[in-house]
Amino acid sequence: CDRRVQDLRDECGNCTVVSVHIRRGDNVRPVNGQPIQNSPPPDYFVRTMTWFRDRFPDVHFFIFSDEKRDMNWCKVLLPDDDRFHFSDFMDDVTDLCL
């Protein structure tokens, strides 16, 4: 895990790193017609990342999710920007560690 963190830092220089773990699968699949939990609206993620970008100009976001389908959702929602790095699904433990 330490090696992967260093690799990520090397990708962006000595930047500010924010890890974003998005778990939509549990929340958006209805049970008996009702979502299991409320999921934040998409603009929540955009607004929160804007907050970080305003305060830390060198910020890079590392995006993780427990499902590839949700990662595709993230790639559509978030800007096509070299400051966004998406998980390569190495394994759950490494992703959680990061």
Side-chain angles (χ1 to χ4, degrees), residues 30-78:
V31 173
N32 297 327
Q34 299 296 318
I36 296 171
Q37 300 175 17
N38 290 327
S39 223
D43 72 312
Y44 165 82
F45 298 102
V46 173
R47 284 184 291 117
T48 302
M49 290 177 189
T50 299
W51 185 92
F52 278 100
R53 290 172 89 160
D54 290 346
R55 285 156 183 80
F56 306 97
D58 66 338
V59 69
H60 280 243
F61 297 96
F62 295 95
I63 313 298
F64 303 92
S65 184
D66 60 327
E67 295 186 14
K68 289 189 181 197
R69 178 182 68 181
D70 292 343
M71 188 59 68
N72 291 335
W73 180 85
C74 294
K75 289 177 180 178
V76 168
L77 173 71
L78 301 173

Side-chain angles (χ1 to χ4, degrees), residues 12-46:
C12 71
N14 198 21
C15 62
T16 301
V17 173
V18 174
S19 291
V20 181
H21 295 258
I22 296 176
R23 286 189 53 120
R24 295 181 64 246
D26 300 352
N27 299 326
V28 297
R29 279 194 216 107
V31 173
N32 297 327
Q34 299 296 318
I36 296 171
Q37 300 175 17
N38 290 327
S39 223
D43 72 312
Y44 165 82
F45 298 102
V46 173

Side-chain angles (χ1 to χ4, degrees), residues 73-89:
W73 180 85
C74 294
K75 289 177 180 178
V76 168
L77 173 71
L78 301 173
D80 184 14
D81 185 317
D82 64 354
R83 293 187 293 173
F84 288 85
H85 308 269
F86 296 92
S87 168
D88 54 9
F89 293 97

